């Protein structure tokens, strides 16, 4: 996913007055820096109940379909997509597409599927079997993916659609769909939203506002808050709490320590507004991809370790993903043919590539073992439909 593209869109929206809403229709909320558990008192967050079709009935906070009879169809082989060396292939429900992709600590793939009634986060096990789906009803709201933490909890951001100075909530859900906590912000007092919340492996969450950065602990309590005068947007956080992000409309790449202090920053790239993607490994190594320019890796002190141009890679850089060991997946379409995923080791050497002849891959994730998963679509010319799939490749 291009964090630069996503955050740039919300930056421009926010400048005109961001609109958002509460899917609980009121419910339990918390002020910035406080958890729902500490402020709810008389009202506990409602977890809601899942309907059998995967959407929720009415404005609930969320639910897990694992407790109501999840689908048991196993993943396919991907033969119809022209795939090779595939562990499994999952056919997403028709008329739905995958918005984000991640692999959790269990090796399960989490894929977001926005729909007409609910924002769903699928839980696909090691065999591609759907074993659960967190569903958050829209009810006129905007629901956006944050990611997963080291405990496999899901972080979402929900925004209120309506008033000129709306509210928004950062929420963390457990695997069973339980709302663990929420923190409420308001544009009038906290500034408008930039980008998405970023969960770390330790359970913490980084949140960007138009004028401030916030770090929440694993339980949702405030750790620190600091000014954000140049609109930095953290994109990823590693297990040590090191975050990396970009500065709006500049070429600067910046890393922060667990305490929010600057570790290093460097000006790199060709175009400030060229779509950029970021990754950080467990040692603090940072990889930055600029779609139409190059891919670069920086050491934990900001020193340039290596750089590969688009020409050297043989493709634009549409998405990247990296695990804690520094193994890297780079997704892009060569001059001809379907998009491919290049697998690179921490030194930048190619160790493999994966593709499906009939799949236009747009999302990529990599697990702790270096195995790659993609999400994309197959265009069905007879019906004019885009059929989305999630494909997990073998070692």
């Amino acid at each position: 996913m291009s964090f630069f593209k996503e955050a740039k869109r919300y930056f421009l929206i926010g400048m005109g007055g961001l609109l958002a809403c509460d899917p609980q229709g009121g419910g339990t909320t918390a002020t910035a820096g406080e958890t729902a558990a500490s402020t709810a008192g008389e009202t506990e967050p409602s977890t809601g109940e899942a309907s059998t079709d995967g959407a929720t009935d009415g404005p609930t906070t969320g639910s897990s379909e694992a407790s109501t009879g999840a689908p048991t169809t196993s993943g396919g082989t991907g033969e119809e997509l022209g795939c090779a060396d595939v562990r499994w292939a999952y056919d997403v429900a028709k008329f739905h597409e995958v918005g984000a992709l991640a692999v959790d600590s269990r090796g399960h793939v989490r894929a977001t599927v926005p729909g007409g009634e609910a924002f769903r986060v699928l839980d696909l096990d090691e065999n591609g079997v759907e074993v659960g789906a967190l569903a958050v009803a829209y009810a006129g709201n905007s629901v956006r993916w944050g990611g997963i933490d080291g405990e496999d909890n899901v972080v979402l951001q929900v925004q209120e659609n309506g008033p000129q100075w709306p509210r928004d909530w950062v929420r963390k859900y457990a695997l069973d769909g339980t709302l663990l906590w929420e923190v409420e912000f308001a544009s009038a007092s906290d500034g408008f939203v930039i980008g998405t919340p970023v969960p770390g492996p330790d359970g913490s969450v980084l949140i960007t506002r138009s004028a401030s950065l916030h770090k929440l602990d694993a339980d949702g309590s405030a750790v620190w808050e600091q000014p954000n005068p140049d609109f930095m947007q953290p994109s990823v956080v590693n297990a040590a709490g090191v975050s990396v992000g970009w500065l709006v409309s500049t070429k600067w790449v910046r890393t922060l320590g667990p305490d929010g202090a600057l570790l290093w920053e460097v000006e790199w790239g060709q175009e400030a507004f060229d779509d950029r993607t970021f990754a950080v490994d467990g040692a603090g190594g940072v990889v930055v991809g600029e779609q139409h320019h190059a891919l670069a890796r920086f050491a934990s002190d900001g020193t340039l370790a290596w750089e590969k141009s688009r020409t050297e890679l043989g493709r634009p850089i549409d998405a990247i993903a990296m695990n804690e060991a520094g193994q890297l997946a780079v997704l892009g379409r060569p001059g001809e043919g379907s998009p491919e995923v290049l697998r690179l080791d921490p030194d930048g050497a190619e160790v493999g590539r994966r593709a499906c002849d009939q799949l236009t891959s747009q999302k990529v994730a990599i697990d702790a073992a270096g195995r790659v998963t993609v999400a994309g679509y197959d265009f069905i010319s007879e019906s004019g439909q885009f059929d989305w799939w999630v494909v997990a490749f073998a070692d």
Side-chain angles (χ1 to χ4, degrees):
M1 163 183 190
S2 171
F3 293 98
F4 193 85
K5 184 175 183 180
E6 176 75 2
K8 180 171 65 179
R9 183 166 75 93
Y10 283 97
F11 172 77
L12 295 174
I13 291 173
M15 291 299 291
L18 189 63
L19 304 180
C21 104
D22 179 11
Q24 297 186 97
T28 303
T29 60
T31 57
E34 297 179 315
T35 64
S38 66
T39 61
E42 68 283 355
T43 306
E44 291 295 324
S46 168
T47 58
E49 296 180 357
S51 61
T52 55
D53 62 0
T56 54
D57 297 323
T60 61
T61 52
S63 61
S64 171
E65 295 180 357
S67 62
T68 59
T72 56
T73 303
S74 32
T77 63
E79 291 182 359
E80 59 269 65
L81 301 173
C83 301
D85 299 323
V86 168
R87 289 184 290 133
W88 52 260
Y90 176 89
D91 193 0
V92 179
K94 299 299 181 289
F95 308 114
H96 291 79
E97 66 180 73
V98 174
L101 196 65
V103 183
D104 67 21
S105 67
R106 304 168 299 164
H108 287 207
V109 172
R110 314 303 298 275
T112 68
V113 183
E117 297 180 4
F119 182 98
R120 303 179 68 220
V121 183
L122 303 181
D123 185 349
L124 308 177
D125 73 7
E126 301 93 331
N127 299 310
V129 178
E130 184 181 334
V131 295
L134 171 69
V136 179
Y138 283 108
N141 315 318
S142 169
V143 182
R144 294 162 56 214
W145 170 251
I148 53 177
D149 65 16
E151 297 296 323
D152 302 328
N153 302 311
V154 170
V155 174
L156 300 176
Q157 187 166 54
V158 182
Q159 295 174 274
E160 180 180 86
N161 294 316
Q164 180 181 3
W165 298 107
R167 301 175 297 169
D168 61 272
W169 294 262
V170 174
R171 291 178 172 152
K172 180 181 284 192
Y173 295 91
L175 274 173
D176 64 0
T178 302
L179 176 63
L180 299 176
W181 55 258
E182 64 178 2
V183 173
E184 180 185 350
F185 294 87
S187 296
S189 57
D190 303 308
F192 57 82
V193 176
I194 298 180
T196 59
V198 183
D202 64 353
S204 63
V205 181
L206 288 179
I207 300 162
T208 310
R209 314 300 298 189
S210 56
S212 58
L213 280 172
H214 303 254
K215 181 175 181 177
L216 306 181
D217 209 341
D219 63 1
S221 58
V223 178
W224 50 256
E225 175 186 346
Q226 64 186 39
N228 189 26
D230 45 14
F231 302 106
M232 177 188 176
Q233 168 57 53
S235 295
V236 284
V237 182
N238 71 2
V242 174
S243 61
V244 59
W246 52 273
L247 279 61
V248 170
S249 74
T250 74
K251 301 177 187 178
W252 286 91
V253 177
R254 177 182 292 172
T255 61
L256 303 178
D259 59 355
L262 174 67
L263 294 180
W264 55 265
E265 59 183 7
V266 61
E267 188 174 18
W268 175 86
Q270 188 175 59
E271 298 291 339
F273 275 118
D274 198 13
D275 287 340
R276 290 185 169 194
T277 50
F278 299 84
V280 59
D281 63 21
V286 170
V287 172
V288 184
E290 196 172 80
Q291 186 176 34
H292 298 294
H293 174 49
L295 184 74
R297 180 180 176 91
F298 297 90
S300 58
D301 62 357
T303 303
L304 181 64
W306 52 258
E307 185 175 15
K308 293 181 179 294
S309 68
R310 171 179 169 172
T311 301
E312 290 176 286
L313 291 169
R315 68 207 65 232
I317 302 160
D318 294 328
I320 65 174
M322 186 164 63
N323 60 21
E324 287 278 310
Q327 296 170 305
L328 184 68
V330 182
L331 176 64
R333 182 194 291 270
E336 297 181 359
S338 300
E340 292 180 331
V341 179
L342 299 183
R343 293 189 301 153
L344 307 179
D345 66 17
D347 293 330
E350 181 180 332
V351 295
R353 60 179 64 195
R354 294 286 186 268
C356 296
D357 293 340
Q358 303 301 318
L359 189 70
T360 301
S361 300
Q362 293 196 343
K363 316 291 179 181
V364 65
I366 188 169
D367 66 15
R371 298 181 301 186
V372 172
T373 299
V374 298
Y377 60 85
D378 174 29
F379 179 69
I380 305 174
S381 57
E382 294 81 1
S383 61
Q385 296 180 9
F386 293 88
D387 186 17
W388 277 77
W389 291 77
V390 179
V391 176
F393 291 101
D395 296 339

